Amino acid sequence: MDDTATPAGGTRWTGNKWVGRPMSRLEDAALLTGRGRYTGDIDVPGTLEAVFVRSTVASGEILGIDTTAALDRPGVQAVVTATDLAATPGLTALLEREGFVTTTMPLLATDGVRYAGEPVAVVLASDRARAEDGAESVVVEIAEKPAVISIDQVREGGAGAVHEEAPDNILLDSTLFSDDLDSVLESSHLVVTKRVDTGRVVALPMEGRSAHAHWDGDRLTLHTSTQVPHMVRSAVAEQMGLMENQVRVVAPDVGGGFGQKCVVAREEVIVAVLARMLDRPVRWVEDRGENIVASFAGHEQVHEMTAGFTAEGVLTALSTDVWCDVGAYSAYPFTCAVEPLMAAGELPGPYRVPRYAARGVAVTTNKSPTAPYRGVSRPQITLAVERLLDEAAARLGIDRAEIRRRNLIRPEDFPYTGANLVTYDAGTYGESLEMCLAELGYDRWPERQERARAEGRLLGLGFVCFSERTGYGTPVFAGRGMAVTPGFDTAVVAMDPTGGVTVTTGVSAHGQGHATTFAQIVADRLGVEPSQVRVIEGDTDAVPFGWGTFGSRSIVIGGSAAHRAAGRLAEKLARLAAHRLEAAPADIVLENGSAHVRGTPARSVSLAAIAHDAHIAVQHLPEDEEPGLEARDSYDPPGTFSNATHGAIVEIDPGTGGVSIERYVVVEDCGVVINPLIVDGQVHGGVAQGIACALYEGLDFDEEGQCRTATLMDYLMPTAMEIPDFELHHLETPSEHSSTGAKGMGEGGTIGAPACVVSAVADAVAHLGIPVDRIPVTPQYLALAIGAATDNPDPGEQT
Amino acid sequence: MRTDSETLNVEFTVNGEARRVSIPPRRTLADVLREDLGLTGTHLGCEHGVCGACTVIVDGEPVRACLMFGVQAAGCEIETVEGLALPDGSLNDLQRSFSEHHGLQCGFCTPGMLMLGTAYVRRAVAADRESVREVVSSNLCRCTGYQGIVDAVCELVCHPDGTGAGEDPAGDS
């Protein structure tokens, strides 16, 4: 309780009893017994079910919508089209940046359709099946236009415009770092140019999106499966012309998000608008087909890099052009610039790049829009840079580990400011690499691989290093030029008259276990048990204004805010206890639900007794103390860098091209670990999602812009048979930019895994000359390439 | 032609309790449980039989409730996640193991995983980790990377050294 007013980097509290423990989660019991309450479980009598009629073509002009037959179907109450929503302005994500083209996403398609799956009309009926019957009967006449479906097509020119405002289909073209690298590259020993392509993927939370809205005459209650309740409140209020105090947004239990739910969906706004328009509760529950085809996707990029190296493999310069296929619309509030700006801004990652030039481009196409999917461009930049280093090492005849050692940020460099003007706080870049290599048995690898090859087996070992900026604060978003800067967060910690503690916070968990980790943090500050601490999130009527959960921000920002607020409350408890015990506040220790005088445990008073007096018998308080026990604090850091090295050993079946992962090792450093069980779980899930991007998942579109992977039979999310057991190791460099010393770590697994798996796959087929610069690396690609290389000893002509 | 308002009366037991519902023939068992009986612990993740979030136990076998019509359950004994806890409300061994091994994060796939695991654990005596992985691969989870789930099920059926002891209880039966 000595550092509440101290800025980040000040003294940290000591004597953790709960922080650091692998506590089972306090939220588990409800979820394990069927008592979880997700948006689709909310049942208000009289609720109408909404089903969207979606465009069956990727691009075209709407000639007419005939709702007559639908309205005749039993149970159908209403069919709504864009005409009925003319009063809503549509969602516009703003960025004040040269080269950015502002576009608007109408709530329903109006002039035309821009992707197959775009909502065109809504059918409302007494139950879901009847609403679906009605949706099938809506006739939408569309004059189809040729679809724009790829970055390369846009770059070639001549494609039609997805948005009139952007005739060239470029929504952002921004040179973030300008540098004339020609002379540096000319004098470099080696220049590597490389193109890396990454596939379009979808976050696929097990609970799709859903919303339930209820209008009670002058106030709206919207339950929605979101990561960002206050952002939704702002958007809904704006679209409906309401004050925000007329809108209550609740994120109840949320079945995963991974970024897909950190933007505002047009469907959740429509449900709110219709609840008022029809004066009936309205519910929409997305089906899996909609979630794959019509929701937010991400990660589809082309990286074109040129890098110079000395003969020793030291990077001299790096230039990159990053092209991102952002799809048909710019999502509110992050804008479609989030991927290119992140990629171009942070591409150097954990490496020292003395000269750097970077351009980020957002290309709009007739595909579903994108949102910041877990990792947000860092899986792609890690893949790009690691492929570059592997190629440079091979061409220079330098060991893959050695070239990384020579380029990683060194311990003496911290705080390190790169050519990308990003300042890195301390981490364990070299140490994590060495530990990972030792775990993998890297020094013995060549012999093992040689033996395997002699037996006709294709074994590969890969490893990658990366940094993960977490806890992005206001300055980062402001620096990008975003009109909405979701940086700070706030927590209120209150003790009730019985000594029970309630934490309300603006972050909003959807699987991350905040009810446990925040309780651990606060319990240590107040000297109580975590089971006495109740954490409330996700209800805009109950929690302070905050930005929700995304970008690995919750423990850094929300956790620090809770830590600081709890510290303020602890100070007050100490003052009140000191008054009762006739001691100095500085001598009061809060422990085991009591306050006692340091060194004299017998001189103690229970916190419950203090809490009782602070509310019920305030005449016992010191004269200058206010009634009640409640403290509030906010936090807004510059961001803090976690880091990790991932390593994997894979085997490729030469006949089928299938890749199996024999070992997967993670050595990660996320600073102070609040709950090891939860941190490990985040790594496991993140790596699995990264493996999915590397080997299995990819949205596939035909030339007309039709998604060919619209079911889980075609879009291959890996099962427990494809995902290996993970070996995790932790290093701990406490953050200077969070009150607890914790760094964020929700995305690291997904950031490192694609590059790591690709590095191992590439190693397995390196002797066959097969390039692996594109994900997902499919069995088809590998089987054909291996077959061709085996039949034809000259590996020059691979497809 | 049948009208969509036609309903059929169906009787079955859910978690040991006799239930009678009047339902349209096209309503799936998952929707009957959720909408007609208010048992929202059974979740719908894909509605095409792949993800397994809706897994319930019907006459002892794990079943995708999204692929079975409610009327097909006539006369069946159905078990759902709401029936797993011990009579005093405390968690059973599998539920407790899921919590101890962090086999759940967002909790959405969890009821299906628990029902799948329950049917398996009942007949698995001494399985190995690979068999458990194969069983868990019936269902999808996006949060955990499966490790905590496999650990949780293994805790109940695997020999402490991680190997099986003879028969493979994961085999079809």
Side-chain angles (χ1 to χ4, degrees), chain A residues 11 181 195 198 202 224 285 396 454 474 476 576 731:
Chain A
T11 36
L181 304 181
R195 171 172 167 155
T198 61
V202 61
T224 183
V285 180
L396 291 167
T474 302
V476 180
L576 302 188
L731 296 165

Side-chain angles (χ1 to χ4, degrees), chain A residues 111-126:
Chain A
D111 47 339
V113 293
R114 296 191 173 87
Y115 66 96
E118 175 156 17
V120 173
V122 198
V123 175
L124 296 119
S126 51

